[in-house]
Amino acid sequence: MSGVIVTDPPKADAEDVEALAGYGVATVHEAMGRTGLLPGRLRPIQQGTRVAGTAVTVLSWPGDNLMIHAAVEQCGDGDILVVATTSPSTDGMFGELFATALARRGVRGLVIDAGVRDTAELRAMGFPAWAAAVCAQGTVKATGGSVNVPVAIGGQVVRPGDVILADDDGVVVVPREHARRVAGASKARETKEAASRAAFLEGQLGLDRYGLRDTLARLGVTYRSYDEHARDEGAGS
C-alpha cells in the first residue's frame, strides 16, 4: 500500500497533558463518560508505571516495521508512539533498538496493537510499552504505510496530537481539543472518590452512600433469612 507522512500535526497543550498525567486511566475514562478506552488486549510489559503524552501515530502493514522507522523522525519530547496495523498481527514489530532511538528523542512510551520483543531490555532501560502481544517473531521493511494519520484500535480512533494516558489498567485516549476540560472533570471525580473513600473507611456502605437500596427494591431484589430461603426452596422442589 502507498501512504503519507504528515509533519507537524497539532498537539494538545503540554500543560494539559501534564494535568492529565496526575490521574489514572480509570479515572479519566470515567470522567469522559466512559469513553476513550483502548481495548483490553493492550497490556503493559511492566508494572507500576503511568505515562501521558501526545500521540504520534503509525499505520503499518502487519509484520512490517518500515513505517515505525519513518515515525521515529517525527517523534519529539513528550510524545508517545501509537502503532496500528492494517490487519491483526502479533509479530514483534518493536524492540530495544527502536526504544533506544525514541528515548534519545524524549519519547515517553509505546502503545502498539501488535507484538513487542526484547521486553527484558525495555524494562531495564525504563522504556514503557503497552502491546497486544509479546513475540520474538521478526519483521520486514518492505511495505509503505502512514505516519501521523488517524488510526483505529479496537474501534477507538486515535489522532496525531491526542493525549495518550497509560498505566497498569490499560490505555485511554483524550481528544486533544478536550484535554483541558477532561483534566478538570478528572479532578472533580478524584475529589468525589476521596470523599467516598473516607466514608468507607468510617464504615459506610456503598449501598447507602450511592442510594442503591432503592435500586435493588425497584429491580425486585428482596432480603430473606437463610431459613426462609431454604424453606421456600424446599417448597418449590
Side-chain angles (χ1 to χ4, degrees), residues 208-230:
D208 298 314
R209 183 166 185 82
Y210 302 139
L212 297 178
R213 295 191 189 278
D214 291 340
T215 301
L216 290 175
R218 187 175 70 252
L219 294 173
V221 179
T222 60
Y223 284 83
R224 306 283 283 174
S225 71
Y226 178 83
D227 289 341
E228 289 172 330
H229 182 65

Side-chain angles (χ1 to χ4, degrees), residues 104-155:
R104 174 65 177 81
R105 302 177 77 86
V107 174
R108 295 176 177 174
L110 167 78
V111 174
I112 181 169
D113 194 16
V116 294
R117 60 184 187 177
D118 304 332
T119 54
E121 289 81 1
L122 294 179
R123 288 190 290 269
M125 67 185 293
F127 189 88
W130 285 256
V134 173
C135 182
Q137 175 64 50
T139 57
V140 299
K141 302 164 182 61
T143 311
S146 294
V147 176
N148 279 334
V149 299
V151 298
I153 299 178

